Amino acid sequence: MDPRSTAFLFEEQKHQLTETFYREKIRMKPIILTGDRPTGPLHLGHYVGTLSNRVRLQEDYQQFLIIADTQALTDHYDQPEKVRENITQVALDYLAIGLDPHKSTFFIQSRVPELFELTVHFLNLVTVSRLMRNPTVKEEVRQKSMEDSLPAGFLTYPISQAADILAFKTDLVPVGEDQNPMIEQTNEIARRFNFIYKSSCLKEVKPLIGNVGRLIGIDGQTKMSKSAGNAIFLGDSYEQIKSKVQKMYTDPSHLRVADPGTVEGNVVFSFLDAFDPEKNQVEELKDHYRRGGLGDGVLKQRLTALLEEFIAPMRKRRQEYEKDPGEVLRICFQGSERARECVQSTLREVREAMALI
Ligand code: TRP
C-alpha cells in the first residue's frame, strides 16, 4: 500500500485505535505470566500440563507469554542458533493451539533487557545453598550430568525466572507440576525484597497446575519429554501419531486378546484418561481389558483417531502461519515492546525501593 494514500492512513489509525482499545480493555484484568524455553517443539505433555489452561484463561486474564530464550541458553549456550530457530517454532505452537496475539502478549525474553537488571538485584536475596536445594534444578543437573560443570547461569535461572514473573505484578502462573519450586522461590524473593527494602512493590503469585500434572511418555518410563524421545508433538503428522501410538507401552504379559490385562501403568489407558471425553466408555473399556477379551489394537485405534481429531485443527492453523514467518516474528517483537513497558515500570519501583541513584 502507498504510505501517502488515505487508505494507508486509515489503516494506521485503525491499528492505533485497536492498540489503545486493547490496552484499555486489558488494564483491569488480573495478570498471568507463563512461558516456555525455545529448545524444541511443544508436545502433548505441555498441552495437558499448561497450554490448555492458557487458551482457556486468555479470555479473562491479561496474559503474557514469555519465550524464554535467555533461560534456554543457560543449558544451550553453545547452541544459540538452535535457540533462535525455536523461538519461531514455539510462537507457531502458541498460534496453532489457538492462543490469540490480540488477547495474549507473546514476547521474547532477550528483547526485554530490564528483566536482567531485576535478576541482578534479586541474586543478592538468595543463598547458593537455597539454589542447590531446588528439586527441579537438581533433577535437571542429574539428567544432564552437569554435576562437575554446572554453569552459574544455570544454577541461578530460578532467580531470573522469578524476575520474569515479578516484573509483571503477576497474579497467576499456569505451569506444569515441575515448575512449582520456581513459584515458591519467586514468592520467597518477593517477601524478602519487600521486607529488606521496606516496600510493597513485589507481589506474591499463585501457581495453576494443569489437569494432568505429568503426562507419561509413550514408553511408559518417564514423563513425556523431547529429550527422552517419548513425546507426541503438537505438530506431528497423522502418520507420526499413528506410529507413536503403535509403539506405546501396554501390558507386556497381555499376550493374547483373551488374556486379562493390567490397566495401571498401561500408557494407552493413561492417554485415554487424559484425552477421551467419554469417561464412562473408558471405564467400561478398562473393565473389559481387566476381564480379558479386549485387544491392544482396538484401543490403539481408538486413541489414534482421538489424537488425530485433537491435533488436526492445530496442524491446519500452523500451516497457515508457516506461510508467513515474518508475521510470526512481528507478533513477537510487538509483544516484546508492550512487555517492556510493564517491566520498565516495575524496575523503576524496584530501583526506588533500593535507593539506587
Ligand atoms: N522454566 C520454564 C520452562 O522450562 C520457562 C519459563 C521462563 C517460565 N520464565 C518463566 C515459565 C516464567 C513460567 C513463568 O519451560
Side-chain angles (χ1 to χ4, degrees), residues 33-39 42 46 54 64 66-69 71-72 109 136 140 157 160-165 173-175 178-179 182-183 186:
L33 180 122
T34 183
D36 300 275
R37 293 182 196 171
T39 51
L42 301 178
H46 293 117
R54 299 183 198 173
F64 291 93
I66 181 168
I67 304 182
D69 58 342
Q71 185 180 116
Q109 188 182 22
T136 301
E140 285 172 293
Y157 91 73
S160 152
Q161 183 157 335
D164 302 338
I165 296 170
V173 187
V175 280
D178 63 322
Q179 295 294 303
M182 306 301 162
I183 310 291
T186 301

Side-chain angles (χ1 to χ4, degrees), residues 127-350:
T127 63
V128 174
S129 68
R130 172 67 180 90
L131 288 167
M132 301 282 224
R133 282 201 306 272
N134 184 312
T136 301
V137 174
K138 257 188 179 161
E139 176 61 18
E140 285 172 293
V141 168
R142 199 186 57 77
Q143 270 176 16
K144 295 172 189 159
S145 319
M146 289 196 288
E147 286 88 351
D148 297 324
S149 56
L150 178 59
F154 189 82
L155 178 67
T156 53
Y157 91 73
I159 303 184
S160 152
Q161 183 157 335
D164 302 338
I165 296 170
L166 296 172
F168 291 86
K169 313 254 176 181
T170 304
D171 296 285
L172 202 60
V173 187
V175 280
E177 204 175 40
D178 63 322
Q179 295 294 303
N180 224 355
M182 306 301 162
I183 310 291
E184 284 167 20
Q185 177 74 81
T186 301
N187 287 337
E188 283 173 33
I189 292 177
R191 283 193 295 269
R192 211 165 142 68
F193 183 95
N194 288 345
F195 176 74
I196 292 181
Y197 300 113
K198 298 186 182 43
S199 167
S200 56
C201 75
L202 299 183
K203 197 167 136 178
E204 289 190 47
V205 297
K206 286 197 184 64
L208 179 74
I209 310 291
N211 281 340
V212 184
R214 270 161 202 266
L215 184 68
I216 195 84
I218 61 170
D219 56 1
Q221 295 298 307
T222 48
K223 73 167 182 162
M224 185 174 283
S225 78
K226 186 174 64 84
S227 50
N230 62 7
I232 298 180
F233 296 103
L234 301 177
D236 274 354
S237 66
Y238 173 70
E239 287 70 30
Q240 285 168 317
I241 296 173
K242 191 169 163 196
S243 103
K244 287 177 184 179
V245 171
Q246 217 51 44
K247 283 191 210 129
M248 274 184 183
Y249 179 87
T250 57
D251 172 1
S253 55
H254 183 239
L255 295 174
R256 281 171 299 259
V257 172
D259 291 341
T262 310
V263 166
E264 289 67 33
N266 186 318
V267 178
V268 178
F269 278 111
S270 308
F271 273 66
L272 289 174
D273 279 336
F275 292 99
D276 199 323
E278 303 288 348
K279 300 290 169 222
N280 290 338
Q281 283 181 25
V282 174
E283 288 313 308
E284 279 167 28
L285 289 170
K286 285 183 187 169
D287 285 343
H288 193 173
Y289 195 78
R290 288 193 180 104
R291 285 197 308 273
L294 179 58
D296 286 349
V298 177
L299 292 170
K300 287 185 168 176
Q301 250 172 31
R302 181 184 176 104
L303 183 59
T304 304
L306 206 68
L307 293 180
E308 171 60 13
E309 199 184 321
F310 182 72
I311 286 183
M314 301 184 190
R315 196 184 296 134
K316 200 161 152 252
R317 254 187 308 236
R318 171 192 301 272
Q319 282 162 356
E320 283 304 308
Y321 280 104
E322 267 171 349
K323 289 183 200 149
D324 193 356
E327 167 67 7
V328 176
L329 271 185
R330 201 187 57 78
I331 289 171
C332 296
F333 288 167
Q334 213 177 39
S336 302
E337 288 307 308
R338 209 181 278 147
R340 217 172 157 190
E341 283 177 30
C342 298
V343 180
Q344 279 167 346
S345 129
T346 305
L347 181 59
R348 268 194 297 273
E349 290 177 65
V350 160

Side-chain angles (χ1 to χ4, degrees), residues 65 297 353:
L65 298 171

